[in-house]
Amino acid sequence: MKDYRLVPRISEAEIMEQVDRVAEEVNRDYAGQSLLLVGILKGAYVFLADLARRLTMPVEVDFVRLASYGQSSETSGEVRITKDLELPVRGRHVLVVEDIVDTGLTLDWYLRHLKHLDAASVKLCAFVDKYERREVDVPLDYVGIRVPEGFLVGYGLDFAEKHRNLGGIFEVEFLE
Ligand code: PRP
């Protein structure tokens, strides 16, 4: 693998500020209701943990793991579920939690899948809205930060399974 370095992009303090803000919005919008948080593994586990601990309504947490078909590192839009939800969705207010939305193909596919499960409502929350390569318009209800592009790691985001555990968000810069 080529050598690379990590360039700091979003500090841990900035991330926490934005998580606080998103949690306030969710608390305001769902006041008096209970919420099912659906984290999309693996990347969402860090953001979901931070968000969930700031929520004030009754919350249940579940996870789904999605995988793209094909070998390409680019999302193909053909998605399958490799680990499904364990809690029932019917009649629940569902908030889908993602670490990052890039082309939008993964979330778009999952949103269409969820439509068959008769939730009372479905909203989308992504920590990073990386918008420049968006191919399908996914209606993001809550967003931590918006960035145009970049190969980002940390705060759940990986490069070959590494760096998910970093508190801040960094950009991978390959060295010559
Ligand atoms: C990332 C991210 C989203 C998807 C976004 O997951 O968590 O699920 O890619 O890309 P898209 O908008 O172009 O579809 P990844 O497949 O890297 O798996 P991971 O969460 O296990 O790292």
Side-chain angles (χ1 to χ4, degrees), residues 7-22:
V7 182
R9 280 286 177 258
I10 301 142
S11 72
E12 197 164 348
E14 170 69 8
I15 290 172
M16 289 309 140
E17 253 179 58
Q18 299 310 323
V19 176
D20 284 344
R21 175 186 53 77
V22 169

Side-chain angles (χ1 to χ4, degrees), residues 40-44 65-68 75 98-107 133-134 156-158 161 164:
I40 301 191
L41 293 171
K42 296 179 186 175
R65 176 132 174 77
L66 306 177
S68 301
T75 316
E98 261 287 26
D99 52 343
I100 189 165
V101 179
D102 185 2
T103 64
L105 291 168
T106 306
L107 205 47
R133 299 201 308 172
R134 191 65 38 84
L157 299 163
D158 75 307
E161 294 299 330
R164 293 190 197 273

Side-chain angles (χ1 to χ4, degrees), residues 62-115:
D62 205 350
F63 292 96
V64 66
R65 176 132 174 77
L66 306 177
S68 301
Y69 281 108
Q71 302 298 314
S72 162
S73 60
E74 305 272 306
T75 316
S76 64
E78 292 291 312
V79 178
R80 69 201 152 95
I81 296 172
T82 58
K83 182 235 170 286
D84 209 346
L85 297 174
E86 292 163 19
L87 298 176
V89 161
R90 183 183 297 267
R92 305 300 313 276
H93 294 292
V94 173
L95 182 60
V96 178
V97 180
E98 261 287 26
D99 52 343
I100 189 165
V101 179
D102 185 2
T103 64
L105 291 168
T106 306
L107 205 47
D108 178 65
W109 184 91
Y110 190 59
L111 203 54
R112 282 186 278 122
H113 171 83
L114 266 182
K115 288 228 161 80

Side-chain angles (χ1 to χ4, degrees), residues 136-171:
V136 279
D137 188 25
V138 274
L140 297 177
D141 299 284
Y142 307 97
V143 168
I145 54 158
R146 297 186 77 239
V147 297
E149 45 137 21
F151 185 168
L152 304 177
V153 297
Y155 202 62
L157 299 163
D158 75 307
F159 174 30
E161 294 299 330
K162 295 189 180 63
H163 311 307
R164 293 190 197 273
N165 59 314
L166 297 173
I169 292 179
F170 297 78
E171 185 162 354

